[in-house]
Amino acid sequence: GAVVSQHPSRVICKSGTSVKIECRSLDFQATTMFWYRQFPKQSLMLMATSNEGSKATYEQGVEKDKFLINHASLTLSTLTVTSAHPEDSSFYICSAREFGGGEEQFFGPGTRLTVL
Amino acid sequence: AQKVTQAQTEISVVEKEDVTLDCVYETRDTTYYLFWYKQPPSGELVFLIRRNSFDEQNEISGRYSWNFQKSTSSFNFTITASQVVDSAVYFCALSEVDSNYQLIWGAGTKLIIKP
């Protein structure tokens, strides 16, 4: 089956620093990747949709300058949390959709970000 | 507007009991997909099932079964003879063709299976 990896799985950083999270599709080409954020005991919240080679589409209320998304290749998308603050601490999950894959999304294992 | 409701925030049962997790959805689309995912404490989402709007057949996979009823817009999930390893948060989700298959998530149901 299709595999999506995320790196790192866990990161702790100081307030004010930037953190980059990578999402890779290992055995398929992902024309579309999604980034979700999940606070404790809550559901997944879609942050943005990125299509390879074009700018990401952000959901309402998500700061595009705060959460930089790059989808430069068909197998890699990155989410950079700039100038992180404690309120950015969360579980970040990516998913990927294959070209022509329709409704099917494959999820990465998630990245737990803790900002001190 | 599309919406997924999982009214049960938390369910606690004793091992070997059967348990049903409810999911009610709203959509105007005629072509849509329904999903169930399991999220254990590790956080990684585990795909359980996908069902399209044209297939109302119930599905059984081992101890898991799903009841899809368009008449009541429900897609309920039953675990038979529950086990401690079934303890997790379970999410129901909806995607529609008209929304480019963006997933709409329910709030999740935390299932606790006590030994």
Side-chain angles (χ1 to χ4, degrees):
Chain A
V3 179
V4 175
S5 70
Q6 273 184 251
H7 179 79
S9 58
R10 190 179 291 267
V11 57
I12 300 172
C13 69
K14 290 183 180 178
S15 191
T17 60
S18 293
V19 174
K20 181 185 283 189
I21 301 170
E22 292 186 348
C23 178
R24 291 183 187 273
S25 57
L26 299 185
D27 49 2
F28 67 100
Q29 294 188 324
T31 49
T32 305
M33 285 184 168
F34 303 88
W35 286 97
Y36 297 88
R37 182 174 183 176
Q38 186 181 29
F39 289 110
K41 299 185 180 182
Q42 292 189 24
S43 188
L44 282 74
M45 182 195 81
L46 180 66
M47 298 174 68
T49 302
S50 75
N51 292 298
E52 186 267 336
S54 60
K55 287 185 180 179
T57 302
Y58 290 81
E59 296 299 302
Q60 196 170 12
V62 178
E63 300 173 59
K64 58 181 71 175
D65 295 330
K66 172 81 172 170
F67 299 100
L68 300 177
I69 291 171
N70 184 285
H71 191 168
S73 80
L74 284 171
T75 58
L76 173 65
S77 176
T78 59
L79 166 67
T80 302
V81 183
T82 62
S83 187
H85 288 98
E87 57 266 30
D88 298 324
S89 299
S90 189
F91 192 55
Y92 293 87
I93 305 172
C94 75
S95 71
R97 193 164 76 196
E98 194 170 9
F99 175 73
E103 78 287 357
E104 198 159 18
Q105 290 184 30
F106 302 98
F107 286 85
T111 297
R112 195 164 300 280
L113 170 64
T114 303
V115 184
L116 302 175
Chain B
Q2 62 274 66
K3 188 179 174 182
V4 176
T5 302
Q6 293 181 256
Q8 303 149 310
T9 305
E10 184 174 305
I11 300 174
S12 181
V13 300
V14 176
E15 200 173 19
K16 296 183 184 173
E17 285 185 19
D18 298 348
V19 58
T20 296
L21 283 62
D22 298 333
C23 174
V24 174
Y25 63 93
E26 292 178 31
T27 178
R28 291 181 187 171
D29 213 342
T30 54
T31 303
Y32 55 90
Y33 295 84
L34 295 162
F35 302 80
W36 275 96
Y37 289 89
K38 175 182 180 180
Q39 188 176 43
S42 65
E44 184 164 359
L45 286 168
V46 178
F47 167 80
L48 296 177
I49 190 170
R50 175 179 69 245
R51 174 66 80 218
N52 76 56
S53 53
F54 300 107
D55 183 1
E56 277 193 84
Q57 275 195 326
N58 290 332
E59 174 113 1
I60 298 175
S61 176
R63 296 183 297 108
Y64 295 172
S65 63
W66 291 267
N67 185 339
F68 177 26
Q69 292 202 339
K70 287 175 77 170
S71 61
T72 55
S73 297
S74 65
F75 187 43
N76 296 337
F77 172 34
T78 297
I79 301 175
T80 304
S82 59
Q83 299 176 3
V84 173
V85 293
D86 295 327
S87 297
V89 179
Y90 290 85
F91 290 99
C92 180
L94 162 75
S95 75
E96 303 165 318
V97 170
D98 286 353
S99 301
N100 198 24
Y101 302 111
Q102 200 174 97
L103 280 168
I104 308 300
W105 296 86
T109 296
K110 182 176 182 179
L111 179 62
I112 300 169
I113 310 295
K114 293 187 257 188

